[in-house]
């Protein structure tokens, strides 16, 4: 097995373009399990751990997204999201806090969760609920493409990345209303969701965001429920008065 | 004893107190810090130059005929040194703890999923794996014999061991059976004496020992044609007794040394990779290491017998037990392992610590094509502990307090058990119950100061107090200590006293397997108490006589007792030396602070001066008092060495809507006779209680048609720290005059009573029958789908929880979301909750939902209704202000209520 260790993002993109079958490894909390269980024997591993910008986040204003947006580097571990972004991204912070154990939360990342695209990934319901204007930055030597979160998950453990693409970051609007996340597992920690639910109110747009995990081949929204609740809140004039 | 009264010289005053690291103290464990820091060398860390890696090819079927095994292609792979099947075994082909019915490698038949068919030695684990992938095995797959009904009808469903091969103690698909009949037995006349009768069927799932260090070891071929095996095990000598004949070697050519053991709990009583590594080393002439993966480990050791128990209890109106019947069926799986002894325990301890005048019990262990089952902490007594449910039901029928009912019928010193054995040591059962009952209860759930980690679901954030019901439950257990039924499981210890660097040093040498229980610490304490200052512990190996098994709560009693005997003998020899040399006449000698002291004359001489270059090196065997086998038909006999008792009180919070359980507190009281090391005793009690907690609410190996469905720690769940509650421990020390220092075995008793106490508490919270452990969420919510688990028929009779109307069902998933394709592939055993269908509209503003809003939004410290209790909040609308959005979302996601405003909480674990 080849082990590629690019030092910069450009080198990483070049390596991925040259070896499209190389398996990116970030926190390794999924990849190493697959390797150790002999479920996967990739020809090459592409180690992203030397690329420091992947572990950074910034806030700013981006085209196509309303208000302040967090651009979350693909490799920012859950522990830091919970510590540093609980105010801006409360749903994701809650979700991140349910992932595995402290050790896993110190290594595991949203980029890795998206890369794996497991229907049981806990970041997904929170990202779906955070709004239709959440985008995955998919980068390649050909340039950067923004994939709307609704178009990202395409099948069981399949996403819409091209073979030469890597996830650079996720752009998530800062919460403009309350967000929640909860999951049901058969133990009080370190457990795969039997079902997970992300929920957000978006008063600015008068919309409701939901995300359901572990209940279908891909993470998905409860579209009817979103619309129902948004209408209900509008009908009762609760968006405007904020309850 | 550790404290001595010394008269005479003043200069003795500073050495009259007990050695702080002698018995009764809690010195640091030599392995503790290393283990915590990850520096302890486990058997899986063993390494030898030139070593090869061994690996086994295992059957994917539970029952099959092997038509052919073709290894030719695998052998051509470079790096493969040997590939063996049963044809290559030089000696006997079978082994076993009590009954030699298990082939070292499968011979023409497969009897359980994961049975080893062939073994390979290669230069690298990857080579070994590839080689095994090239072995071609042709199987004729047969329908496995897996249920009690199938097992008991061999003419229809077949024999696990054909009659001509059968080696068990009974016949057909029964390995062993034991009856216990006492008093008048249970006849119609006896039944007529009871005013109230309760009966029920109970089930115990198959628990795994789930030790963290997988099976591993290193076999090194020796120049004399023998093998040196470095191994993590529970009993070196009995391993050797089983290994040597298979290798065709005399026992003295198979030498075992204990390697670092990463937990055992009974799972290392049977052999796993020992014979395989030795066979490969013998064949290749090279050292061979085998380390199981976690998945292989699930197939590599025996588990706790799953059981079906039918109990019937009769009592008078005033609560006195009149009779009990029990039929206990244990599934032993493919091979005998420790099944006979487990049956002996389950039957003889089936009454629990209660006086019941008339008893009729039968326990049997089956042969089946399920995974083999054998020893696990609690050994037969854990399964029998399901009778606690009966007592709760009886108490309900009688309108009595369940603790009082137990106390009324509790045994005490002098009581007779149904085996006719009289309890001839303290048996403070009623007192232990009282002790846990008298402990202050943990505070009630306070929704104004919530830390979600303390709720069912914890960080999963499934409740902020709504739907949570608290329950309290009690149980007390009866466990034997040591090997029973006439078995002389003696222990050997060698103690050598010599002067090293001017100081006397005592070396303790035993073959005791330190599996984490703290035995080496206790041996040091005993030697220090008996001989003085410095003690070293020799590595455990077969150069010294057997120490028996590290199981049955027996090691401190048995090998600790042997160390005491050997140390006393060394001390006497030392005194004899002085008497001869210096003509001492007094009989009042003792060793204190490295000196020989006479009570009347003061310090006589230092040990160093007395010994000089001489070493005293003595070996002693410690035998417990003899026992006898139980009579096969009546179960009568003095069968057990010692009894031990532990009581628990469990406090649980149950989310009755989601079926999630959080054990809030698990208090224990145990009589340990004498706590040689109080800290270790507490550790044993808390560890044993936690293993019982695992069985109560999560731990189970799921099989379907004999195949193991969850051989991983992703799917076989054990308690995490967030599942493990505070565990106050009350220790009683009532000495047993038959044992060294009056001590009582500690390790297993807590495992018996913690499970039923927790189940009893869940029952108190939910009002459900809960006749099966582990209790899973679907048992509490009543959403079990019958195909999931064996024994589903019993559970399906359980009713959905009272007070959990459909309208509060938390699931807000629209029906169309549920019509999507099946569960994601890596879901544990596909145990999806079945969501009750309900119209969307009725749930949206249900109390649970509104309550959630409340917490989302109320973290503004100024919000006045912050402390409004739960009920008042139901339906409250969210005080949410859009312009304050950034201030009103939780600043820390798992702290709710006033604490949320504090500094971000450090990492929760
Ligand atoms: C004990 C344990 C418990 C766990 N519990 C949970 C849990 O509760 N909830 C949960 O959701 N997950 C859980 N996981 C899974 C895992 O931790 C998460 O999926 C995590 O988000 C993975 O992140 P990572 O950085 O470690 O990914 P990696 O393992 O490094 O990678 C995961 C996948 O993403 C790809 N990838 C990584 N980075 C990129 C990138 N920049 N661009 C493109 N592809 C990329 C990899 O090629 C791989 O396919 C658990 C894992 C373990 C071992």
């Amino acid at each position: 097995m080849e082990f590629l260790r690019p030092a910069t993002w450009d080198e990483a993109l070049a390596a991925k373009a040259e070896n499209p079958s190389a398996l990116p490894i970030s926190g390794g909390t999924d990849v190493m399990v697959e390797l150790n269980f002999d479920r996967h024997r990739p020809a090459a591993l592409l180690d992203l751990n030397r690329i420091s910008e992947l572990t950074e986040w910034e806030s700013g204003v981006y085209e196509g997204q309303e208000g302040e947006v967090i651009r979350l580097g693909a490799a920012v571990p859950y522990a830091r999201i919970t510590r540093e972004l609980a105010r801006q991204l409360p749903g994701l912070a809650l979700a991140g806090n349910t992932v595995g154990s402290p050790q896993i939360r110190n290594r595991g990342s949203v980029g890795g969760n998206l890369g794996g695209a497991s229907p049981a990934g806990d970041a997904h319901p929170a990202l779906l609920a955070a709004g239709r204007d959440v985008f995955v930055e998919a980068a390649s030597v050909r340039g950067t493409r923004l994939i709307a979160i609704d178009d990202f998950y395409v099948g069981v453990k399949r996403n819409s990345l091209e073979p030469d693409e890597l996830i650079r970051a996720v752009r998530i609007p800062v919460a403009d209303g309350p967000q929640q996340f909860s999951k049901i597992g058969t133990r009080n920690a370190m457990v795969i969701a039997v079902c997970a639910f992300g929920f957000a109110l978006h008063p600015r747009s008068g919309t409701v965001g939901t995300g359901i995990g572990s209940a279908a081949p891909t993470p998905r929204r409860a579209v009817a429920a979103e619309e129902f609740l948004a209408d209900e809140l509008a009908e009762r004039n609760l968006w405007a008065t904020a309850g | 004893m550790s404290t001595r009264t010394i008269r005479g010289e003043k200069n003795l005053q500073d050495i009259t107190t007990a050695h702080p690291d002698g018995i009764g103290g809690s010195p640091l464990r030599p392995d503790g810090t290393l283990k915590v820091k990850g520096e302890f060398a486990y058997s899986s860390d063993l390494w030898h130059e030139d070593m090869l890696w061994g690996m086994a090819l295992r059957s994917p079927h539970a029952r099959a005929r092997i038509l052919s095994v073709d290894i030719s292609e695998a052998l051509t792979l470079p790096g493969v040194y040997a590939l063996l099947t049963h044809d290559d075994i030089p000696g006997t082909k079978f082994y076993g703890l009590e009954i030699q019915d298990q082939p070292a490698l499968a011979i023409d038949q497969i009897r359980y999923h994961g049975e080893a068919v062939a073994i390979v030695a290669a230069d690298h684990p990857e080579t070994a794996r590839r080689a095994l992938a090239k072995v071609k095995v042709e199987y004729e797959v047969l329908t496995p014999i897996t249920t009690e009904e199938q097992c008991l009808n061999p003419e229809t469903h077949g024999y696990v061991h054909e009659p001509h091969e059968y080696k068990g103690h009974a016949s057909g698909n029964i390995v062993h059976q034991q009856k216990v009949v006492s008093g008048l037995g249970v006849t119609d006349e006896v039944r007529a004496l009871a005013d109230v009768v309760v009966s029920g069927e109970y089930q115990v799932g198959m628990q795994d020992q789930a030790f963290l260090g997988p099976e591993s070891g290193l076999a090194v071929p020796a120049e004399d044609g023998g093998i040196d095996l470095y191994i993590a095990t529970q009993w070196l000598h009995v391993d050797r007794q089983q290994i040597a004949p298979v290798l065709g070697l005399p026992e003295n050519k198979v030498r075992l040394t204990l390697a670092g053991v990463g937990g055992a709990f009974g799972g290392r009583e049977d052999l796993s990779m020992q014979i395989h590594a030795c066979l490969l080393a013998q064949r290749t002439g090279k050292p061979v290491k085998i380390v199981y993966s976690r998945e292989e480990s699930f197939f590599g050791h025996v588990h706790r017998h799953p059981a079906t128990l039918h109990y019937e209890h009769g009592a008078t109106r005033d609560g006195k037990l009149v009779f009990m019947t029990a039929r206990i069926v244990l599934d032993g799986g493919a091979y005998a392992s420790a099944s006979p002894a487990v049956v002996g325990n389950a039957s003889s301890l089936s009454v629990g610590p209660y006086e019941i005048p008339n008893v009729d019990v039968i326990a049997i262990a089956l042969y089946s094509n399920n995974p083999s089952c054998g020893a696990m902490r609690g050994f037969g007594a854990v399964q029998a502990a399901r009778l606690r449910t009966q007592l709760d039901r009886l108490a309900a029928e009688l309108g009595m307090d369940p603790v009082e009912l137990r106390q009324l019928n509790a045994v005490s010193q002098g009581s007779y058990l149904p085996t006719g054995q009289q309890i001839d040591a303290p048996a403070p059962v009623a007192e232990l119950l009282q002790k846990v009952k008298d402990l202050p209860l943990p505070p009630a759930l306070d929704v104004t100061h919530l830390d979600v980690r303390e709720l069912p679901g914890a960080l999963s954030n499934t409740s902020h107090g709504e739907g949570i019901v608290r329950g309290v439950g009690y149980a007390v257990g009866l466990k034997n200590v040591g090997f029973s039924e006439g078995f002389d499981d003696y222990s050997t210890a060698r103690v050598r006293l010599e002067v090293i660097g001017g100081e006397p040093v005592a070396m303790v040498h035993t073959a005791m397997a330190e599996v984490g229980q703290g035995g080496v610490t206790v041996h040091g304490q005993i030697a220090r108490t008996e001989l003085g200052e410095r003690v070293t512990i020799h590595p455990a190996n077969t150069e010294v006589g057997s120490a028996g098994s590290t199981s049955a709560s027996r090691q401190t009693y048995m090998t600790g007792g042997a160390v005491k005997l050997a140390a006393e003998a060394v001390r006497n020899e030392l005194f004899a030396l002085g008497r001869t040399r210096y003509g001492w006449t007094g009989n009042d000698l003792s060793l204190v602070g490295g000196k020989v002291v006479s009570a009347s004359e003061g310090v006589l001489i230092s040990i160093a001066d007395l010994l000089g270059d001489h070493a005293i090196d003595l070996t002693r065997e410690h035998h417990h008092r003899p026992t006898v086998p139980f009579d096969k038909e009546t179960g009568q006999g003095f069968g057990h060495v010692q009894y031990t008792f532990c009581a628990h009180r469990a406090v649980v919070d149950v989310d009755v809507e989601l079926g999630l359980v959080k054990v809030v507190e698990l208090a224990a009281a145990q009589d340990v006779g004498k706590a040689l090391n109080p800290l270790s005793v507490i550790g044993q009690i808390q560890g044993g209680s936690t293993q019982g907690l695992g069985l109560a609410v999560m731990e189970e190996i799921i099989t379907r048609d004999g195949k193991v469905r969850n051989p991983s720690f992703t799917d076989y769940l054990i308690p995490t720290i967030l599942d493990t509650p505070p565990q106050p421990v009350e220790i009683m020390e009532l000495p047993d005059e038959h044992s060294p220092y009056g001590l009582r075995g500690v390790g297993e008793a807590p495992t018996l009573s913690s499970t039923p106490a927790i189940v009893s508490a869940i029952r108190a919270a939910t009002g459900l029958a809960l006749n099966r452990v582990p209790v899973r969420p679907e048992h509490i919510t009543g959403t079990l789908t019958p195909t999931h688990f064996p024994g589903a028929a019993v559970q399906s009779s359980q009713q959905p929880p009272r007070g959990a109307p459909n309208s509060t069902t938390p699931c807000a998933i629209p029906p169309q979301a549920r019509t999507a394709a099946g569960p994601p592939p890596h879901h544990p055993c596909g145990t999806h909750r079945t969501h009750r269908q309900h119209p969307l509209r009725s749930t949206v503003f249900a109390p649970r939902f509104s309550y959630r809003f409340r917490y989302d939004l109320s973290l503004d410290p100024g919000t006045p209704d912050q402390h409004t209790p739960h009920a008042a909040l139901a339906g409250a609308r969210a005080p949410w202000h859009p312009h304050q959005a950034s201030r009103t979302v939780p600043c820390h996601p798992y702290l709710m209520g006033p604490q949320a405003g504090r500094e971000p909480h450090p990492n929760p674990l």
Side-chain angles (χ1 to χ4, degrees), chain A residues 9 16 22-33 40 45-46 48-49 54 74-76 78 95 98-101 104-105 107-118 120-124 159 161 165-169 183 190-193, chain B residues 714:
Chain A
W9 182 239
K16 186 68 173 151
L23 185 72
I25 176 165
S26 182
T29 59
D30 273 326
V31 170
M32 290 313 297
V33 173
H40 203 65
L45 280 183
L46 180 60
L48 302 177
N49 282 283
L54 293 181
V76 177
Y78 294 111
T98 72
V99 173
S101 60
I104 298 297
R105 294 194 285 271
R107 291 290 302 168
S109 64
V110 173
N113 220 232
L114 289 167
S118 156
D122 287 320
H124 313 316
N159 57 34
L161 290 180
E165 282 179 331
L166 292 172
I167 301 169
R168 168 63 185 82
K183 87 179 188 193
M190 273 278 277
V191 71
I192 298 176
Chain B
T714 310

Side-chain angles (χ1 to χ4, degrees), chain B residues 29-75:
Chain B
R29 302 165 56 122
D31 53 337
T33 310
L34 292 172
K35 283 176 176 169
V36 171
K37 290 167 87 175
E39 290 166 2
F40 183 81
Y42 289 100
S43 52
S44 50
D45 298 316
L46 291 164
W47 195 270
H48 199 292
E49 248 175 71
D50 275 354
M51 74 180 187
L52 302 177
W53 295 82
M55 208 171 276
L57 180 70
R58 294 180 180 275
S59 164
H61 310 293
R63 184 171 179 230
R65 246 173 237 124
I66 301 174
L67 303 179
S68 67
V69 182
D70 178 3
I71 61 170
S72 53
E73 198 189 330
L75 276 176

Side-chain angles (χ1 to χ4, degrees), chain A residues 28-43:
Chain A
T29 59
D30 273 326
V31 170
M32 290 313 297
V33 173
E34 298 267 301
L35 293 185
N36 287 335
F37 280 1
D38 204 19
R39 285 201 200 115
H40 203 65
R41 283 291 148 104

